[in-house]
């Protein structure tokens, strides 16, 4: 009888301590909407530095968000990384993130590029691409110019419901208010060369082909083409100019890729370490160069010929989390303006 009791005690202890032991496993479960080959090196370097193994699940941005939501408290995910502030803001609104307090992250990531729950790790600009044979650079100096009747029938665009355009519209709301942002959106729609279709790269190609004179695109799509050795891409790049919008006023609209620690993260310590690692010099270089973006840590220099060729510009310093709060308004404006 006594022996049996003794045998039970260690068994009970083991089962009680099992969850804790599991949580201390040297792993990090990462849900990532990034799928760039260079990210392999980014993760391998983290494992080398910390001994923490990364289990990665990659899927489309919105799918991952849905998955984390459905898994709820059972979710194995520690960190979620994705692109565009609207998606990070959505995850935040759904209460999926846990706040992270980190001196290092506060020091390295500028205040307008983070919230208490998530951090940006790279930035991209929404630039104006124009056909050099058809459009004068002085006619595309600002986003506002895209709504000028002068550009009637010249503007190509992807869907107004896409996060990239919603974020730009949300920034317009932040700067000028809802009414002016709507006027702008209606002006842009009135200038469309065709109904919105395709992604940013499709708009770039349409401008080069002369289907339209101007389009807005995230900078990395154009940088990717600049680095391409394909003759057809060379031709596209040669036909086009890049304008940094709003250099005299608010600066060019930027967006981010970033991430945060999840509320039910089983490996919280590893999650914070990983986020801090993403702000390190090494990781910043991998993270940004992999997709031709800019590091968020100002002192980090990249060696990217396309980014170097694009040169310096004045970026909008609007708080990205504050801007993201206007995305719901932006969606309503896009609907009312018929920016489908
Ligand atoms: Fe993209």
């Amino acid at each position: 009888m006594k022996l049996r009791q003794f045998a039970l005690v260690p068994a009970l202890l083991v089962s009680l301590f099992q969850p804790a032991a599991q949580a201390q496993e040297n792993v990090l479960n990462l849900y990532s909407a990034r799928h760039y080959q260079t990210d392999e090196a980014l993760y391998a370097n983290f494992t080398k530095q910390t001994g923490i193994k990364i289990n990665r699940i990659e899927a489309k941005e919105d799918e991952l968000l849905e998955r984390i939501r459905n898994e709820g408290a059972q979710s194995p995910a520690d960190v979620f990384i994705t692109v565009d502030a609207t998606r990070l803001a959505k995850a935040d609104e759904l209460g999926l993130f846990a706040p992270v307090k980190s001196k290092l992250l506060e020091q390295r990531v500028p205040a307008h590029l983070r919230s208490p729950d998530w951090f940006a790790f790279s930035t991209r600009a929404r630039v104006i691409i124009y056909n050099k044979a058809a459009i004068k650079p002085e006619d595309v100096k600002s986003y506002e110019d895209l709504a000028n009747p002068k550009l009637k029938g010249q503007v190509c665009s992807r869907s107004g419901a896409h996060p990239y355009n919603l974020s730009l519209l949300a920034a317009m709301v932040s700067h000028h208010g809802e009414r002016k942002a709507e006027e702008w959106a209606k002006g842009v729609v009135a200038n469309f060369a065709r109904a919105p279709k395709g992604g940013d790269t499709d708009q770039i190609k349409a401008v080069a082909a002369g289907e339209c004179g101007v389009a807005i695109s995230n900078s990395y799509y154009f940088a990717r083409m600049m680095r391409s050795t394909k003759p057809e891409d060379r031709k596209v790049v040669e036909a086009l100019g890049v304008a940094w919008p709003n250099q005299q006023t608010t600066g060019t609209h930027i967006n981010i890729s970033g991430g945060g620690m999840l509320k039910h993260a089983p490996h919280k310590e590893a999650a914070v370490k990983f986020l801090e690692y993403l702000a390190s010099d090494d990781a910043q270089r991998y993270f940004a160069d992999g997709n031709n973006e800019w590091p968020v840590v100002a002192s980090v220099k990249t060696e990217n010929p396309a980014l170097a060729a694009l040169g310096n510009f004045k970026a909008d310093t609007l708080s990205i989390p504050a801007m993201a709060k206007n995305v719901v308004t932006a969606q309503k404006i896009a609907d009312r303006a018929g920016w489908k």
Side-chain angles (χ1 to χ4, degrees):
M1 209 35 205
K2 258 188 179 165
L3 259 177
R4 232 194 217 172
Q5 268 177 342
F6 270 115
L8 269 175
V9 174
L12 193 69
L13 274 175
V14 166
S15 71
L16 272 176
F17 279 88
Q18 220 154 28
Q22 250 169 24
Q24 275 159 23
E25 259 179 330
N26 243 2
V27 298
L28 174 89
N29 297 325
L30 174 68
Y31 282 20
S32 169
R34 286 173 60 91
H35 13 251
Y36 311 117
Q37 273 179 358
T38 45
D39 282 4
E40 296 293 339
L42 173 78
Y43 303 134
N45 193 37
F46 174 71
T47 303
K48 208 172 106 192
Q49 282 185 17
T50 61
I52 300 168
K53 191 183 152 234
I54 297 180
N55 298 319
R56 184 163 32 130
I57 290 190
E58 283 185 355
K60 287 223 148 125
E61 297 86 2
D62 300 324
E63 282 169 27
L64 281 178
L65 205 62
E66 222 22 61
R67 181 168 174 163
I68 298 166
R69 220 178 148 182
N70 292 336
E71 286 170 344
Q74 304 307 316
S75 178
D78 294 305
V79 168
F80 173 51
I81 56 179
T82 187
V83 295
D84 204 279
T86 58
R87 294 188 177 106
L88 285 162
K90 193 173 170 202
D92 208 1
E93 227 180 77
L94 293 168
L96 303 184
F97 288 131
V100 169
K101 206 71 198 114
S102 157
K103 275 247 152 58
L104 194 139
L105 286 169
E106 277 167 32
Q107 274 165 14
R108 293 185 62 89
V109 182
H112 69 288
L113 300 178
R114 56 179 154 86
S115 83
D117 289 345
W118 54 260
F119 302 85
F121 294 108
S122 65
T123 66
R124 59 273 297 277
R126 202 125 181 87
V127 295
I128 297 178
I129 303 290
Y130 63 95
N131 186 308
K132 286 192 284 193
I135 303 286
K136 290 195 231 88
E138 57 264 35
D139 288 338
V140 284
K141 287 175 88 171
S142 68
Y143 298 111
E144 287 78 1
D145 286 340
L146 298 176
N148 189 324
K150 222 177 172 177
L151 293 181
K152 190 144 191 84
Q154 295 280 14
V155 179
C156 269
S157 175
R158 78 189 300 162
S159 166
H162 191 276
Y164 298 164
N165 282 337
L166 287 180
S167 286
L168 175 61
L169 249 176
M172 284 281 186
V173 174
S174 295
H175 285 306
H176 310 296
E178 185 172 349
R179 194 179 56 82
K180 280 212 164 146
E182 183 166 344
E183 261 172 41
W184 175 75
K186 284 180 174 158
V188 173
V189 170
N191 284 342
F192 279 170
R194 61 176 192 195
K197 63 171 178 183
D200 285 3
T201 302
D202 299 303
Q203 315 313 316
I204 294 173
K205 287 180 177 167
V207 174
E211 229 180 292
C212 33
V214 291
I216 25 181
S217 167
N218 279 357
S219 45
Y220 55 85
Y221 291 109
F222 192 72
R224 193 182 295 167
M225 257 187 185
M226 287 170 82
R227 296 179 79 173
S228 168
T229 50
K230 289 186 197 156
E232 61 268 32
D233 290 342
R234 306 291 333 141
K235 258 194 174 161
V236 166
V237 170
E238 275 157 27
L240 301 175
V242 178
W244 298 107
N246 300 55
Q247 292 303 283
Q248 310 303 322
T249 57
T250 47
T252 297
H253 168 71
I254 56 163
N255 211 300
I256 54 158
S257 78
M261 177 171 80
L262 294 156
K263 191 165 68 186
H264 300 293
H267 313 97
K268 289 206 162 66
E269 216 176 291
V272 174
K273 265 190 201 159
F274 182 69
L275 294 173
E276 289 180 339
Y277 164 75
L278 290 181
S280 70
D281 284 13
D282 274 358
Q284 279 285 291
R285 260 179 238 119
Y286 280 126
F287 205 89
D289 272 344
N291 191 34
N292 300 304
E293 294 176 75
W294 292 279
V296 291
V297 179
S299 57
V300 173
K301 298 275 169 281
T302 58
E303 278 173 43
N304 183 319
L307 294 187
L310 282 173
N312 293 323
F313 67 100
K314 176 183 159 187
D316 192 348
T317 53
L318 183 69
S319 155
I320 299 280
M323 173 276 285
K325 290 211 167 75
N326 287 325
V327 164
V328 177
T329 306
Q331 178 70 70
K332 285 181 192 154
I333 291 174
D335 288 345
R336 288 198 297 263
W339 193 343
K340 298 249 162 52

